[in-house]
């Protein structure tokens, strides 16, 4: 904390961004910043880093600390899983602490769901099967909100890690934990029955109104770059040759960010070249359908940057 305070004092005029130091969100957070042109200079302490080319300081912390750092006004920006953000917001409301932040943008990583999972052998016909059971979780508030809505009561058993082993070790009847591929549940003989919350990483800030104009301007610029990076990652540039009378069929198949560009082909009056930015990823199935329509020379290229 001493070092954090020192950084904050030294860089009062710079925007401070908190990201996870090491964990599932760290790599993607660093990559996102790099793609936005932020040149990060990692300090020896590795508790903070600064951008060489922008007024931005980066604090590397545990993910659980990020909502508090934002809401208590220590940093202006944070990248955090919405599961942690929501859970901590509910805790703060319970103890009558203020909950204040602005959600700037949902990010395209850290995607997971908070689910209730039961043993494979358990017969399950609906949430009432969970009435009064002991549920192991690190997210008691999100779980309670979900159960309250359905008028079902349960006994929370709070664990801060290794929730998936709670059933096999006899600590709980069922569990409520984050799931992404489902492999951990499989390995522990459990299956998902209720999705309590859908989560992804988010860029949040202090209440945007409370920031000084210079910081607001910088945050807006960074946000536009982040939006551009995410949009580019979701989009593809497509080029193909097609007969003129098949153009409508082709454009119906491709979700375009904008209208396609059509170019005449040299020495062939019936065919054209079509260039377009697709706002969706192009899968092999789509390429096969294009081929069936008579398209040839189909190229799908990644887009590095995009600005609308
Ligand atoms: O040390 P620090 O406190 O910073 O990190 P942490 O250990 O608390 O969190 P970490 O790094 O494990 O996760 C950070 C964030 O990543 C979470 O808060 C989520 O927003 C997001 N995330 C995305 C996940 C997962 N996917 C995920 N699968 N967090 C955890 N898991 C775990 C889950 O708890 C279970 O143990 O992975 C296992 C299940 O994965 P599958 O693929 O087998 O289903
Ligand atoms: Zn954590």
């Amino acid at each position: 904390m001493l070092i954090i305070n020192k950084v904050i004092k030294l860089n009062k005029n710079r925007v401070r961004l908190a990201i996870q130091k090491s964990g599932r969100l760290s790599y993607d957070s660093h990559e996102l910043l790099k793609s936005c042109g932020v040149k990060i200079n990692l300090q020896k302490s590795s508790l903070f880093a600064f951008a060489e080319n922008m007024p931005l300081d980066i604090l590397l912390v545990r993910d659980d600390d990020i909502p508090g750092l934002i809401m208590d006004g220590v940093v202006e920006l944070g990248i955090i899983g919405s599961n942690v953000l929501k859970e901590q917001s509910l805790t703060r409301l319970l103890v009558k602490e203020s909950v204040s932040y602005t959600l700037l943008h949902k990010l395209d990583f850290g995607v997971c769901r908070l689910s209730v999972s039961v043993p494979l052998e358990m017969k399950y016909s609906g949430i009432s099967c969970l009435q009064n059971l002991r549920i192991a979780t690190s997210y008691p508030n999100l779980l309670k909100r979900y159960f309250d809505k359905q008028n079902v009561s349960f006994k929370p058993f709070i664990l801060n890690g290794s929730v998936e082993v709670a059933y096999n070790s006899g600590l709980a009847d069922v569990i409520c934990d984050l799931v992404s591929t489902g492999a951990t549940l499989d390995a522990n003989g459990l299956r998902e029955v209720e999705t309590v919350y859908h989560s992804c990483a988010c860029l949040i800030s202090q209440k945007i109104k409370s920031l000084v104009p210079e910081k607001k301007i910088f945050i807006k610029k960074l946000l536009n770059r982040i939006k551009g990076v995410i949009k580019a990652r979701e989009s593809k540039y497509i080029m193909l040759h097609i007969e003129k009378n098949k153009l409508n069929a082709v454009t119906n198949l491709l979700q375009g960010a904008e209208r396609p560009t059509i170019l005449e082909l040299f020495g062939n009056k019936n065919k054209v070249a079509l260039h377009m930015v697709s706002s969706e990823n192009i899968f092999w199935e789509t390429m096969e359908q294009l081929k069936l329509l008579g398209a040839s020379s189909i190229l799908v290229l990644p887009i590095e940057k995009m600005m609308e």
Side-chain angles (χ1 to χ4, degrees):
M1 206 54 178
L2 200 70
I3 299 172
I4 293 178
N5 285 337
K6 206 168 139 199
V7 180
I8 287 156
K9 275 195 192 117
L10 280 176
N11 300 296
K12 229 172 43 205
N13 299 322
R14 290 163 67 87
V15 169
R16 291 153 297 191
L17 162 69
I19 62 174
Q20 193 185 22
K21 184 171 188 284
S22 70
R24 287 170 189 264
L25 305 180
S26 325
Y27 176 81
D28 289 315
S29 301
H30 278 278
E31 284 303 299
L32 179 66
L33 293 173
K34 249 196 262 170
S35 305
C36 290
V38 181
K39 286 208 176 105
I40 301 174
N41 187 321
L42 205 63
Q43 296 294 284
K44 268 198 210 124
S45 75
S46 70
L47 245 184
F48 74 97
F50 64 88
E52 291 173 4
N53 54 343
M54 295 179 194
L56 180 70
D57 288 331
I58 298 154
L59 268 68
L60 303 152
V61 294
R62 287 200 63 186
D63 66 346
D64 316 75
D65 292 334
I66 295 174
L69 288 170
I70 292 278
M71 294 186 208
D72 298 333
V74 182
V75 299
E76 287 87 5
L77 291 175
I79 294 180
I80 181 69
S82 62
N83 51 317
V84 173
L85 179 66
K86 282 281 176 278
E87 179 66 23
Q88 290 202 12
S89 298
L90 291 170
T91 308
R92 284 177 81 106
L93 286 175
L94 277 179
V95 296
K96 301 204 172 6
E97 279 179 25
S98 72
V99 172
S100 64
Y101 66 89
T102 300
L103 172 65
L104 295 178
H105 209 266
K106 287 187 173 179
L107 305 173
D108 58 351
F109 56 87
V111 177
C112 58
R113 53 199 184 271
L114 180 66
S115 295
V116 176
S117 302
V118 303
L120 287 176
E121 62 277 10
M122 179 175 164
K123 284 204 178 101
Y124 190 83
S125 54
I127 192 162
S128 56
C129 298
L130 302 173
Q131 183 79 35
N132 290 332
L133 292 191
R134 182 179 293 273
I135 308 181
T137 189
S138 311
Y139 298 87
N141 293 315
L142 281 171
L143 185 59
K144 181 170 179 336
R145 189 178 70 171
Y146 183 81
F147 272 59
D148 282 354
K149 270 190 200 150
Q150 322 237 18
N151 244 337
V152 175
S153 49
F154 70 101
K155 295 180 200 122
F157 183 75
I158 300 167
L159 284 174
N160 285 325
S162 308
V163 172
E164 59 276 359
V165 300
Y167 168 71
N168 288 320
S169 52
L171 294 172
D173 302 309
V174 298
I175 69 156
C176 173
D177 195 15
L178 300 173
V179 182
S180 44
T181 61
T184 307
L185 293 180
D186 285 349
N188 286 281
L190 298 164
R191 71 184 165 101
E192 270 178 282
V193 289
E194 299 285 332
T195 307
V196 171
Y197 183 74
H198 288 277
S199 182
C200 64
C202 297
L203 177 72
I204 58 168
S205 72
Q206 285 177 22
K207 279 272 177 214
I208 209 82
K209 280 188 209 148
S210 65
L211 297 171
V212 295
E214 301 75 39
K215 289 191 175 180
K216 254 191 236 172
I217 291 168
F218 172 74
I219 289 173
K220 197 171 172 210
K221 185 171 153 181
L222 184 65
L223 179 61
N224 277 338
R225 288 195 186 184
I226 288 176
K227 284 181 184 166
V229 168
I230 293 175
K231 190 101 188 128
R233 288 205 285 228
E234 285 168 353
S235 306
K236 291 283 177 273
Y237 194 82
I238 304 164
M239 297 189 277
L240 55 84
H241 294 174
I242 186 75
E243 282 180 12
K244 278 182 187 163
N245 61 7
K246 298 278 175 55
L247 266 173
N248 277 338
V250 167
T251 49
N252 284 342
L253 200 62
L254 300 170
Q255 285 300 310
E258 284 177 12
R259 300 298 302 159
T261 305
I262 306 298
L263 304 159
E264 289 253 327
L265 280 187
F266 180 66
N268 188 338
K269 286 210 170 104
N270 299 324
K271 273 193 167 183
V272 288
L274 173 146
H275 288 203
M276 78 185 279
V277 173
S278 167
S279 50
E280 285 178 4
N281 209 342
I282 304 293
F283 297 102
W284 282 107
E285 289 74 13
T286 311
M287 293 183 69
E288 283 155 6
Q289 281 172 292
L290 289 168
K291 190 90 196 147
L292 282 176
L293 286 171
S296 59
S297 307
I298 309 168
L299 294 181
V300 177
L301 308 172
I303 298 171
E304 197 184 298
K305 293 187 180 69
M306 237 172 134
M307 199 167 269
E308 289 183 326

